[in-house]
Amino acid sequence: MTDAHQRRYQDVAAELRELIRAEGLQPGDRILTERQIALRLGVGRSLVRDAIIMLEVEGLVQVRQGSGVYLQEDASANVSEPVEDDIGPFELLEARMVLESAVAGLAAATVTKSDIIAMRDTLEDERHSITEGRDDYQSDQRFHLLIAEATQNGVLVKLVSDLWDLRNRSRMWAQLHSRIFDDTYRNRWLDDHQAILDAFRARDGQRARKAMRDHLEHVRDTLMQLSDSDDPDFDGHLFSNARSVQAF
């Protein structure tokens, strides 16, 4: 039974450890593909991906891009402290999808001219960051926090800020990004941000809510694709793991 403080991806990681033992895999062996693990355990690929990232951070497995996941040659010697208090990147994105899409819908009704100007200036900073090749997401984070602030609701501002703090402190999120070398996706995310800003200018709550949900779905799908440890040509849409998230 799942412990009250145990996250689902941690359960999947525990099942994956048991699966490795049951299969009699030796150091250096390739473990099952994400698709095979998901089918075997009856879970979605995002949970499998988070579980693998957790085991990678702990030093049990090594991810080789486009090749698969392998049991570490010296796993017994290099396993670090268990990941207990971290947040799975895809678990976190799902939470953000639920919360931030609703926040955007609310902000469209309360956004002010000064809010719009601040968001516009932040997008310009983000554009410069991408053009100059800077590896930072400060403008990205600032844009999302400005949206929360536009709701004029301090509780929502804290909730959104807390989610970003979790992301910035996460060893698992850092591990995921360490395997991503193609940053062309950032222009698409900038376009997403512009669509959200356009919805605010129109004071269209439904449009703002959808634009934010679409944006975070793009983030999730992009990270799933770019961090695929299996066949890079795998048709992920045939084995979709993402739950349909409806904003409240």
Side-chain angles (χ1 to χ4, degrees):
M1 182 177 294
T2 302
D3 185 271
H5 301 290
Q6 181 103 329
R7 297 191 173 90
R8 184 68 183 105
Y9 77 85
Q10 293 173 323
D11 293 332
V12 173
E15 293 179 67
L16 186 49
R17 289 192 194 95
E18 183 56 38
L19 188 59
I20 289 171
R21 284 192 290 270
E23 293 285 330
L25 297 179
Q26 299 300 310
D29 285 349
R30 186 179 190 269
I31 71 174
L32 300 176
T33 66
E34 289 180 4
R35 183 181 185 185
Q36 290 170 330
I37 294 168
L39 286 170
R40 180 80 68 91
L41 301 182
V43 298
R45 279 192 79 198
S46 62
L47 275 174
V48 173
R49 186 69 58 86
D50 278 343
I52 288 174
I53 295 170
M54 174 181 172
L55 297 182
E56 187 181 13
V57 169
E58 291 181 353
L60 181 64
V61 301
Q62 178 187 35
V63 174
R64 301 177 190 171
Q65 204 69 18
S67 175
V69 182
Y70 294 79
L71 198 59
Q72 280 277 31
E73 294 282 359
D74 50 357
S76 59
N78 284 342
V79 173
S80 63
E81 293 183 3
V83 176
E84 295 177 349
D85 251 347
D86 212 336
I87 299 291
F90 297 99
E91 176 186 45
L92 179 59
L93 279 170
E94 186 172 67
R96 288 184 59 199
M97 247 183 276
V98 173
L99 176 63
E100 292 194 52
S101 57
V103 166
L106 177 61
T110 55
V111 68
T112 65
K113 180 179 179 180
S114 61
D115 292 328
I116 294 290
I117 292 172
M119 291 179 198
R120 182 198 64 195
D121 291 345
T122 300
L123 289 195
E124 192 59 30
D125 289 341
E126 185 178 3
R127 187 171 288 106
H128 287 314
S129 176
I130 295 171
T131 301
E132 295 167 5
R134 284 180 288 164
D135 186 21
D136 72 72
Y137 292 82
Q138 292 181 3
S139 297
D140 184 0
Q141 177 174 341
R142 178 61 180 154
F143 181 74
H144 284 266
L145 291 178
L146 283 170
I147 292 171
E149 290 168 7
T151 66
Q152 302 174 29
N153 183 310
V155 175
L156 292 177
V157 173
K158 185 175 190 311
L159 288 173
V160 172
S161 179
D162 285 349
L163 287 176
W164 274 90
D165 286 344
L166 286 171
R167 173 197 184 281
N168 294 335
R169 295 197 309 266
S170 171
R171 292 164 61 197
M172 290 177 61
W173 190 277
Q175 185 66 41
L176 172 64
H177 272 263
S178 73
R179 293 196 263 114
I180 296 174
F181 304 101
D182 178 1
D183 63 359
T184 56
Y185 61 87
R186 293 180 67 187
N187 285 303
R188 183 183 184 187
W189 294 357
L190 179 60
D191 290 341
D192 288 347
H193 284 170
Q194 185 63 56
I196 296 168
L197 180 56
D198 291 344
F200 286 144
R201 283 176 167 148
R203 292 190 175 274
D204 188 330
Q206 183 175 357
R207 182 175 157 194
R209 186 180 297 110
K210 182 179 185 304
M212 178 63 79
R213 186 174 65 248
D214 288 348
H215 167 51
L216 292 172
E217 285 178 349
H218 291 160
V219 172
R220 179 202 61 207
D221 293 346
T222 298
L223 293 179
M224 282 292 290
Q225 178 184 5
L226 293 178
S227 65
D228 192 354
S229 61
D230 299 330
D231 183 354
D233 295 323
F234 172 70
D235 289 328
H237 67 281
L238 297 177
F239 193 70
S240 176
N241 59 355
R243 288 181 283 186
S244 177
V245 179
Q246 299 296 323
F248 50 80

